[in-house]
Amino acid sequence: MVANISFPRFLKLGPGAVESLGDVLTDLNVQRPLLVTDAFMVSNGSAERLMKIITGAGKEGALFSGTVPDPTTESLHAGLAAAAAHDADAVIGFGGGSPMDTAKALAVLSKQGGEMRDYKAPRQYTGPALPIIAIPTTAGSGSEATQFTIITDVTSDEKMLCPGLSFLPIASIVDSELTASMPPRLTADTGVDALTHAIEAYVSKKANPISDGLALSAMRTIGRFLLRAYRDGSDTEAREAMMHASTQAGMAFSNSSVCLVHGMSRPIGAHFHVAHGLSNAMLLPAVTAFSIPGARDRYAECARQLGAAGRTDSDDIASARLIEFIDTLCSDVEVPRPSTYGIDEAKWDSLIPLMAEQALASGSPGNNPVVPTADEIADLYRSVF
């Protein structure tokens, strides 16, 4: 199999890196960027800070702060109008995964038109798009380094995976100082999200030597630093390490794929409005246990990289310890089950057939070490509730 490897053209990395935004715009010959963010980034002054950097670089920027958690086809309309009114020549996604996903969608729709459902997997879109600059403020989604965006179709409640090189940021700015104010819950959810990306990239049927190296490095870092960042948000070393791991994990799965956890996670987010990282965390222990027989050696190596098993442990022992590690981690960072999160059991049960169908249709389960049937996915949904 020939692996196709793609990364942002360049990436600025390190505390204070956001101050280089003006230089990035100049290097890319961008004159009229649209800053795409959310109301929280406006309320805490971060959006104004970036607008001043843009203006200071002699650029004419505009602000769109109407992004929503888990962006929808409907939520894109105002952003498209803002991009058109400003005659934007680039978009800057600033925030967590949702603002970056919104910026990616706006970049494609502003140049190519159509509806987001036209771009969902298995289509790979590589056509015209505005340049995308990504500036994450959470350590989890890895969207700053991926060729994917996730948009929910409001007509079907389907969380659509939209892939292709046109969704890949041309430049990313990864500044750990931007994560300093993340509360513990968000730190946990995004951290387990990054862990899920790394594990799934490594065990995927589309894994390759480049994605393997990035995924393993991310796991080593997450194993050391996630709990530290969760327990002490002022731990700058842990914050910076988790930011690096998130970007590495994003690069890894962008160049291999995600698997069954993500396939099952998207319908939960679409139907029950659970944050993506949290729905991944709800599923990770059970789906990992289901999948181990298909790639026991790879899951065993995940355990060793995370510090859950030793180099001399057999694959059987190490893979079993991986499940123990994930269970303990999810307990330590207080990941709820869908039932304790407040989801209605009757509604959950009634939607299981549709969620299983949507999970399979996304294509992600096909990359899993054990490719499930719809009935097996349904059983997993029942077991995690």
Side-chain angles (χ1 to χ4, degrees):
M1 183 183 72
V2 175
N4 295 308
I5 308 298
S6 302
F7 299 116
R9 185 183 299 175
F10 61 90
L11 190 149
K12 302 282 188 181
L13 178 72
V18 73
E19 294 296 332
S20 67
L21 173 59
D23 294 334
V24 169
L25 296 173
T26 297
D27 290 344
L28 295 174
N29 196 30
V30 169
Q31 300 299 323
R32 300 179 62 82
L34 178 70
L35 181 64
V36 178
T37 189
D38 56 28
F40 178 72
M41 289 294 126
V42 173
S43 68
N44 69 11
S46 297
E48 181 182 5
R49 177 188 177 190
L50 262 64
M51 289 300 292
K52 287 180 178 178
I53 295 171
I54 293 168
T55 302
K59 313 299 181 183
E60 188 173 345
L63 174 66
F64 173 68
S65 61
T67 69
V68 299
D70 296 318
T72 67
T73 48
E74 192 173 72
S75 72
L76 298 177
H77 295 161
L80 285 169
H86 185 56
D87 192 21
D89 61 355
V91 291
I92 303 170
F94 177 51
S98 294
M100 288 189 285
D101 278 354
T102 298
K104 291 177 176 186
L106 297 181
V108 167
L109 293 177
S110 292
K111 290 291 283 187
Q112 188 67 7
E115 303 289 338
M116 280 310 297
R117 67 179 64 90
D118 301 331
Y119 301 95
K120 74 175 185 176
R123 182 181 182 184
Q124 295 269 340
Y125 179 68
T126 58
L130 293 175
I132 303 160
I133 300 161
I135 308 175
T137 62
T138 63
S141 78
S143 188
E144 69 275 6
T146 74
Q147 51 188 304
F148 308 112
T149 190
I150 308 292
I151 305 293
T152 299
D153 187 337
V154 295
T155 62
S156 62
D157 269 346
E158 178 187 3
K159 212 167 187 180
M160 300 180 295
L161 172 66
C162 302
L165 287 176
S166 298
F167 294 107
L168 179 67
I170 193 169
S172 299
I173 300 174
V174 180
D175 183 342
S176 58
E177 291 179 350
L178 297 174
T179 69
S181 62
M182 287 173 61
R185 180 73 266 143
L186 185 59
T187 299
D189 294 347
T190 54
V192 178
D193 193 20
L195 175 60
T196 306
H197 293 155
I199 292 174
E200 292 211 305
Y202 187 66
V203 303
S204 166
K205 291 185 175 182
K206 295 180 180 178
N208 58 75
I210 302 301
S211 63
D212 282 355
L214 291 162
L216 292 172
S217 178
M219 280 184 257
R220 286 194 298 272
T221 302
I222 293 166
R224 289 183 59 197
F225 291 104
L226 174 53
L227 278 177
R228 277 179 52 178
Y230 172 72
R231 290 168 174 163
D232 180 6
S234 64
D235 185 336
T236 56
E237 181 186 20
R239 288 291 197 198
E240 186 171 6
M242 286 302 300
M243 199 69 159
H244 297 169
S246 172
T247 298
Q248 286 182 313
M251 289 177 168
F253 86 80
S254 182
N255 288 288
S256 58
S257 63
V258 287
C259 304
L260 181 55
V261 173
H262 277 76
M264 292 181 62
S265 176
R266 296 185 200 106
I268 296 174
H271 294 289
F272 298 100
H273 308 292
V274 179
H276 174 68
L278 180 55
S279 57
N280 277 349
M282 290 173 173
L283 293 162
L284 184 58
V287 173
T288 301
F290 169 82
S291 305
I292 279 175
R296 192 174 302 276
D297 58 336
R298 291 225 147 205
Y299 282 107
E301 189 58 29
C302 292
R304 297 181 186 109
Q305 297 297 323
L306 287 164
R311 301 303 314 177
T312 59
D313 288 329
S314 69
D315 288 350
D316 284 345
I317 291 172
S319 58
R321 288 181 176 169
L322 176 63
I323 301 299
E324 295 171 5
F325 176 91
I326 294 171
D327 276 331
T328 300
L329 175 65
C330 288
S331 176
D332 286 344
V333 300
E334 301 178 83
V335 174
R337 298 178 72 89
S339 56
T340 56
Y341 185 75
I343 292 174
D344 179 73
E345 185 173 7
K347 184 177 180 182
W348 178 271
D349 287 343
S350 70
L351 283 169
I352 282 176
L354 175 60
M355 292 197 296
E357 176 187 325
Q358 291 176 335
L360 278 176
S362 73
S364 298
N367 304 318
N368 206 57
V370 176
V371 178
T373 65
D375 287 344
E376 287 172 325
I377 292 176
D379 286 343
L380 285 166
Y381 276 131
R382 293 186 189 99
S383 72
V384 301
F385 187 80

